[in-house]
Amino acid sequence: MTNENSLADPGTPRRQRMGVQPAASADAPPAAPAQKQRLGAAPSTTRHETAPSASGKVRMGAATTPAASPDTGPAKVDTAAPAHSRMGAPVPPPPGAVPAPGATPATPPTHFGRPAPSGGASKPDGRPQWVKPVAVTIGVLVLALAAVLCARWLRTLEPVQAFIATYDGHSSQPESAPVGLPAWVGWQHFFNMFFMVLIVRTGLQVRTERKPPGYWTAKKGSFFSPMGNTPKKVSLTQWLHQSLDVLWMLNGLVFIILLLATGQWMRVVPTGWDIFPNMLSTGIQYASLDWPTENGWVHYNALQVIAYFITVFIAAPLAIISGIRISTWWPEKAAALGKAYPVEWARAVHVPVMVYFVAFTAVHVFLVFFTGALRNLNHMFTSRDEVDWWGLIIFLASLVVIAVAWFLTKPLFTTPIAGRMGKVSR
């Protein structure tokens, strides 16, 4: 077989036979320096002719470089350009080079749709990444210290002392309100904590994961794809999130029914206007670090009452209503309903409600442990007004159960369950 390069003149240097132009000859006009092109100046108009290769195009050159033809003459290649530019690659500017006026700067590389981090240590403005978190933490601590100092100063004033004496922090509640906590409250408390931890975790995964571990499609007409809706393909994480939502809502429904049926609602629902001055009194006492006397077995203080009321009767319904709007359960053919309740509204509500639940849980756990841990844990997990270790033991056991469930929510264990409820794909 005859190679087309072998048809070239044997005397021609190898670089010219391969399509790379030789250096300018002594009698040719001097080529423009390559540095000018790197700095953004127009390339030199001086060109040198070269014989075309047997294939009709300049070998190794840019694909658009025409070969010689009878009408146009031999192909012309700019020998002033650097070798890698003649090979079709862009010319990177040398370090410290200043682009010419009007030149378009090169687009920086991206990282998952964002500018690539420069070493991961600094932000685009040059500040280290740890500056903002540290500044926010310092700001919170300064505000907390100022609140403590202000509250302690207020408690030295006679009018404030009289106000706290009049409103000790416990608002009125009906005389028929039950005393103590039944066993079902402890079970409901555990299940609510169990589901909320996993729901928050999977919700954050849905928002942050770049590549889901798999996808799930509901069976037509199933619970996850009501009649009239086209089965949607969602990530396995979203399927798990919605499944946990269903269990959490069932637990909440049982809780509300029992709360109303047993009269326990009177302990967590404000029943008088004195809730407001008692909330202020409780807030001053907490902020001054001289906390009000706690006896949750008989009567919650005003801030506890309003916090439980908001959590059960406002935050939980908002989480459900906004979650249904952005889930596969929303009826896709209800155009008027969708227009009246845009999905953007639901997204704007869903995340702040999640943040509220996280903040409520953090404050709740803090106060449980710093206002009599053993007694409070017995109230919550053993339904006894005693000071012993059983409540703490059951609480620690519940944490172990939650940790095991956290591990079992990995795709390795959830995929077979999802496959029984729909179609799993990659």
Side-chain angles (χ1 to χ4, degrees), residues 17-336:
R17 293 205 303 271
M18 296 184 69
V20 180
Q21 301 307 309
S25 61
D27 56 348
Q35 181 69 16
K36 290 181 62 179
Q37 185 173 355
R38 294 194 191 99
L39 295 177
S44 171
T45 57
T46 304
R47 300 179 181 270
H48 300 272
E49 297 181 356
T50 182
S53 68
S55 63
K57 292 185 179 180
V58 177
R59 314 295 289 180
M60 302 292 289
T64 56
T65 304
S69 67
D71 299 328
T72 62
K76 298 181 180 180
V77 177
D78 184 5
T79 58
H84 55 270
S85 179
R86 298 198 303 271
M87 299 284 287
V91 182
V98 179
T104 303
T107 303
T110 59
H111 179 73
F112 294 114
R114 301 187 302 270
S118 55
S122 301
K123 293 187 176 182
D125 57 3
R127 293 180 303 164
Q129 292 183 347
W130 54 264
V131 170
K132 185 175 181 180
V134 171
V136 171
T137 303
I138 294 175
V140 171
L141 293 176
V142 169
L143 290 177
L145 179 60
V148 170
L149 295 176
C150 181
R152 294 187 71 86
W153 172 74
L154 286 174
R155 297 197 66 170
T156 63
L157 304 178
E158 291 186 2
V160 175
Q161 294 175 0
F163 175 79
I164 293 177
T166 304
Y167 301 99
D168 64 353
H170 293 80
S171 59
S172 60
Q173 67 179 20
E175 295 183 359
S176 58
V179 175
L181 300 172
W184 63 265
V185 172
W187 281 102
Q188 291 287 313
H189 190 276
F190 164 72
F191 284 123
N192 188 64
M193 177 177 65
F194 177 86
F195 291 128
M196 282 302 303
V197 169
L198 299 181
I199 285 173
V200 171
R201 178 190 182 231
T202 54
L204 292 175
Q205 286 179 320
V206 169
R207 291 180 59 84
T208 59
E209 66 183 358
R210 299 292 181 178
K211 183 178 181 182
Y215 295 91
W216 179 84
T217 306
K219 297 177 181 179
K220 191 171 183 179
S222 67
F223 176 76
F224 283 93
S225 182
M227 297 299 294
N229 278 9
T230 304
K232 299 179 179 64
K233 178 186 285 189
V234 298
S235 68
L236 279 174
T237 311
Q238 183 173 340
W239 164 80
L240 179 59
H241 184 72
Q242 290 189 198
S243 300
L244 292 168
D245 285 341
V246 173
L247 298 176
W248 177 69
M249 286 189 290
L250 291 175
N251 180 70
L253 179 62
V254 173
F255 178 77
I256 293 295
I257 292 174
L258 292 175
L259 200 69
L260 298 176
T262 61
Q264 287 287 330
W265 66 268
M266 288 181 281
R267 291 169 51 88
V268 295
V269 175
T271 56
W273 291 106
D274 62 339
I275 185 73
F276 296 107
N278 279 289
M279 285 173 56
L280 178 59
S281 173
T282 308
I284 294 174
Q285 295 178 66
Y286 274 128
S288 66
L289 302 183
D290 186 4
W291 295 350
T293 303
E294 298 290 344
N295 190 8
W297 187 255
V298 177
H299 195 174
Y300 295 128
N301 67 51
L303 283 182
Q304 287 176 311
V305 171
I306 202 66
Y308 295 147
F309 174 78
I310 291 174
T311 302
V312 174
F313 295 101
I314 298 178
L318 284 176
I320 295 171
I321 294 171
S322 58
I324 290 176
R325 179 62 181 92
I326 59 182
S327 72
T328 58
W329 295 311
W330 186 260
E332 60 186 21
K333 295 184 179 180

